[in-house]
Amino acid sequence: MNIRLLSDKEKPPMDLLLLADPSPKMVEEYLKEGESYIAESDNQLIGIYVLLPTRPETVEIVNVAVAEKYQSRGIGKLLVKDAIEKAKTKGFKTIEVGTGNSSIGQLALYQKSGFRITGVDKDFFIRNYEEEIYENGIQCQDMLRLAQEL
């Protein structure tokens, strides 16, 4: 597997990005300011993440997605690890991520990767998304904020 920066000339894979964030509007917004890194294997696009600088010395992972065919193979973990390494290399001191209260697997992944819960943005998904989101039989309402010092 190779992970590389998506060039300005390449079109971001919206179908893949929308697996992790169902709002095209939100995705378009952070793609403008963020850097997209894609994972490829045997000339197949298998994953993506987006790093978005948010404050001096702080960057946020705003999207991590793995193609459905390649899920449950540890690729998400490798993408998060790569994002952490890229953030360190770029001189950031803190890396953050937000995930839904219903995103049980993602919450476990981030904590296993060294992130700690720093807060809750109550009703984030109700305020910012037109349609209700359900995962694991739970309505996604609140964004759990996590961070890691680098």
Side-chain angles (χ1 to χ4, degrees), residues 5 23 38 44 46 50 60 75 82 87 89 106 113 127 138:
L5 181 64
S23 170
I38 59 171
Q44 294 284 325
I46 62 172
V50 181
E60 181 176 353
I75 295 167
D82 190 75
T89 300
Q106 292 88 330
S113 298
R127 287 192 318 271
I138 303 166

Side-chain angles (χ1 to χ4, degrees), residues 43-57:
N43 295 320
Q44 294 284 325
L45 176 62
I46 62 172
I48 187 168
Y49 69 85
V50 181
L51 281 180
L52 177 69
T54 56
R55 295 185 303 283
E57 301 186 333

Side-chain angles (χ1 to χ4, degrees), residues 33-149:
E33 303 296 325
E35 290 186 330
S36 300
Y37 292 87
I38 59 171
E40 300 168 310
S41 182
D42 298 324
N43 295 320
Q44 294 284 325
L45 176 62
I46 62 172
I48 187 168
Y49 69 85
V50 181
L51 281 180
L52 177 69
T54 56
R55 295 185 303 283
E57 301 186 333
T58 302
V59 67
E60 181 176 353
I61 304 171
V62 290
N63 190 310
V64 178
V66 176
E68 291 181 42
K69 176 178 168 182
Y70 296 94
Q71 291 178 4
S72 301
R73 297 184 189 183
I75 295 167
K77 183 177 182 178
L78 293 173
L79 292 174
V80 170
K81 182 178 179 186
D82 190 75
I84 293 166
E85 290 306 312
K86 291 276 189 319
K88 284 180 187 176
T89 300
K90 291 176 174 290
F92 290 101
K93 303 289 184 222
T94 305
I95 187 167
E96 299 177 329
V97 68
T99 195
N101 61 283
S102 56
S103 303
I104 297 165
Q106 292 88 330
L107 181 58
L109 166 66
Y110 297 134
Q111 291 182 93
K112 288 177 185 178
S113 298
F115 288 85
R116 304 273 316 268
I117 296 171
T118 57
V120 177
D121 188 345
K122 196 166 173 57
D123 293 331
F124 176 87
F125 292 96
I126 293 170
R127 287 192 318 271
N128 293 289
Y129 289 78
E130 292 179 17
E131 294 183 27
E132 292 180 350
I133 302 168
Y134 284 86
E135 299 173 292
N136 304 302
I138 303 166
Q139 184 177 2
C140 187
Q141 299 173 335
D142 308 321
M143 179 182 288
L144 303 178
R145 303 291 307 158
L146 298 95
Q148 179 178 154
E149 299 305 314

